[in-house]
Amino acid sequence: MKAVGLTQYLPIEDPAALQDVNVAPPGAPEGRDLLVRVHAVSVNPVDTKQRAPRAQHENPPRILGYDAAGVVEAVGPEVSAFAPGDEVYYAGDVTRPGCNAQYQWVDERLVGRKPTTLDFAEAAALPLTTLTAWELLFQRMPLQFEDRRHRGQHLLIIGGAGGVGSVAIQLARHAGFTVIATASREQSRAWCVQMGADHVIDHRQPLAAQLQALGITQVQVALNLADTDHYWDALGELLAPQGHVGLIVEPRGPLRIGDPYKAKCIGIHWEFMFARSRFQTADMIEQHCILGRAASLIDAGELRTTAHTHLGTINAANLREAHRRLEGGGVIGKLVLSGWA
């Protein structure tokens, strides 16, 4: 089957960083695995981190890719939720071969039925970021998707125009928060408004003064989706007593977790969407449930895809371009690819 893989971990400018390869197709699925024929993929920062240069070789080639939409071709003997022919979307498992291949095995507990109102590329934009935002807001934090208690509260999202931020804006609005997103360019500011942000401020400028200009002196919840270290002190001052901060980016150094975080009893919440699959937790089925709920909301017109730029068919050149753009920063929404030339 066709795939895009790597044998060496190289800078993205090197044509060998990602290569078109032909590999043996997966065999028949076992256990709770589905065999999915991949129609579309999207690319995330985790792909670039997994591909980052290091002294290691892979044989056979390693296949990355952790956002896909496709059609179930076959099911393992323990599968109960899907049948051949079902259209699905999923992020998958970072410990297994990824979706940058024509066929992929994936555990049914990590898979949802594709929203019927989206095409494959529009659906492929969503799984990893939807799972990340939903788990962070409604499973790591003590928040509810629809809860009157959130009315009048403020939620700040640093990095609102990125993949996770684009979904988090929508979910937080549904949860009743007044959402303030950060963005530094006109295009990214416009995208945040399109996703539903009530206010957009510039993360390159002091946050407190911009919030005060909006009449906001503190926020109950903050999601730092961009730079844990850089905004740590500022968020400690901005968060209300007994507020919550959500984090997805590893800090570069030790964080000072004393005052004001301790004095205010601020909850600190980490999210890593692959934790459930990596450690085979007993609640892996939660990801199936989240994707199913999200698909229903999308088909009802209450959530929207975050696909922003279509880079063409799934091949090495286009995936290298996606990695290059992500590493360069400034990507709005999600980059998607679909079809096999």
Side-chain angles (χ1 to χ4, degrees), residues 265-331:
C265 291
I266 292 170
I268 302 168
H269 308 269
W270 281 104
E271 163 61 12
F272 182 54
M273 186 236 98
F274 293 111
R276 282 177 159 134
S277 56
R278 177 179 176 183
F279 296 103
Q280 294 288 298
T281 60
D283 64 349
M284 277 175 59
I285 194 70
E286 279 294 310
Q287 296 202 339
H288 166 77
C289 297
I290 293 168
L291 291 173
R293 181 76 183 277
S296 296
L297 291 165
I298 291 162
D299 288 339
E302 296 182 46
L303 294 179
R304 60 184 301 168
T305 182
T306 56
H308 182 272
T309 305
H310 196 299
L311 293 177
T313 56
I314 307 168
N315 60 40
N318 290 339
L319 281 167
R320 286 197 302 271
E321 174 62 13
H323 281 234
R324 186 192 66 78
R325 293 191 188 193
L326 283 170
E327 290 182 346
V331 170

Side-chain angles (χ1 to χ4, degrees), residues 154-162 164-170 172-173 177-185 188-207 210-211 214 216 219 221-226 231:
H154 295 93
L155 186 147
L156 173 65
I157 300 174
I158 296 176
V164 178
S166 299
V167 177
I169 289 170
Q170 300 181 67
R173 278 292 303 274
F177 286 97
T178 296
V179 179
I180 308 104
T182 76
S184 61
R185 296 173 295 135
S188 51
R189 292 175 64 88
W191 177 261
C192 289
V193 172
Q194 189 178 337
M195 292 297 106
D198 297 285
H199 307 286
V200 183
I201 61 176
D202 187 346
H203 48 248
R204 295 181 179 175
Q205 305 299 323
L207 301 177
Q210 296 178 83
L211 289 171
L214 296 170
I216 301 167
V219 299
V221 181
L223 306 184
N224 185 350
L225 309 177
Y231 299 101

Side-chain angles (χ1 to χ4, degrees), residues 35-328:
L35 179 63
V36 177
R37 176 161 48 92
V38 175
H39 284 248
V41 303
S42 68
V43 186
N44 297 282
V46 66
D47 294 82
T48 69
K49 293 175 182 178
Q50 293 288 315
R51 198 218 75 251
R54 60 183 182 271
Q56 184 177 336
H57 288 75
E58 301 287 352
N59 185 20
R62 183 181 178 189
I63 298 170
L64 305 177
Y66 309 103
D67 256 338
V71 176
V72 177
E73 291 285 301
V75 301
E78 298 175 28
V79 168
S80 60
F82 297 95
D86 287 342
E87 295 184 349
V88 295
Y89 74 142
Y90 56 91
D93 181 347
V94 76
T95 69
R96 303 181 72 179
C99 62
N100 294 338
Q102 287 181 298
Y103 296 91
Q104 182 189 13
W105 281 326
V106 61
D107 190 301
E108 68 166 341
R109 291 169 290 182
L110 306 176
V111 176
R113 293 183 184 274
K114 182 181 78 65
T116 59
T117 54
L118 300 183
D119 64 28
F120 286 105
E122 292 169 331
L126 288 165
L128 185 147
T129 52
T130 299
L131 290 167
T132 298
W134 191 291
E135 288 181 355
L136 182 55
L137 286 168
F138 308 126
Q139 296 186 339
R140 312 301 174 220
M141 293 182 174
L143 308 177
Q144 300 297 320
F145 180 62
E146 292 174 333
D147 193 332
R148 292 181 181 274
R149 290 175 296 177
H150 303 325
R151 303 290 174 185
Q153 295 188 349
H154 295 93
L155 186 147
L156 173 65
I157 300 174
I158 296 176
V164 178
S166 299
V167 177
I169 289 170
Q170 300 181 67
L171 295 179
R173 278 292 303 274
H174 274 271
F177 286 97
T178 296
V179 179
I180 308 104
T182 76
S184 61
R185 296 173 295 135
E186 278 305 313
Q187 304 98 307
S188 51
R189 292 175 64 88
W191 177 261
C192 289
V193 172
Q194 189 178 337
M195 292 297 106
D198 297 285
H199 307 286
V200 183
I201 61 176
D202 187 346
H203 48 248
R204 295 181 179 175
Q205 305 299 323
L207 301 177
Q210 296 178 83
L211 289 171
Q212 288 170 4
L214 296 170
I216 301 167
T217 57
Q218 60 184 16
V219 299
Q220 284 69 41
V221 181
L223 306 184
N224 185 350
L225 309 177
D227 188 328
T228 297
D229 303 77
H230 183 75
Y231 299 101
W232 185 252
D233 290 340
L235 291 180
E237 298 298 332
L238 286 172
L239 279 159
Q242 301 185 86
H244 299 273
V245 61
L247 307 168
I248 65 171
V249 179
E250 316 86 89
R252 295 180 295 277
L255 297 174
R256 183 174 57 83
I257 55 174
D259 291 345
Y261 284 88
K262 178 179 180 294
K264 292 183 178 180
C265 291
I266 292 170
I268 302 168
H269 308 269
W270 281 104
E271 163 61 12
F272 182 54
M273 186 236 98
F274 293 111
R276 282 177 159 134
S277 56
R278 177 179 176 183
F279 296 103
Q280 294 288 298
T281 60
D283 64 349
M284 277 175 59
I285 194 70
E286 279 294 310
Q287 296 202 339
H288 166 77
C289 297
I290 293 168
L291 291 173
R293 181 76 183 277
S296 296
L297 291 165
I298 291 162
D299 288 339
E302 296 182 46
L303 294 179
R304 60 184 301 168
T305 182
T306 56
H308 182 272
T309 305
H310 196 299
L311 293 177
T313 56
I314 307 168
N315 60 40
N318 290 339
L319 281 167
R320 286 197 302 271
E321 174 62 13
H323 281 234
R324 186 192 66 78
R325 293 191 188 193
L326 283 170
E327 290 182 346

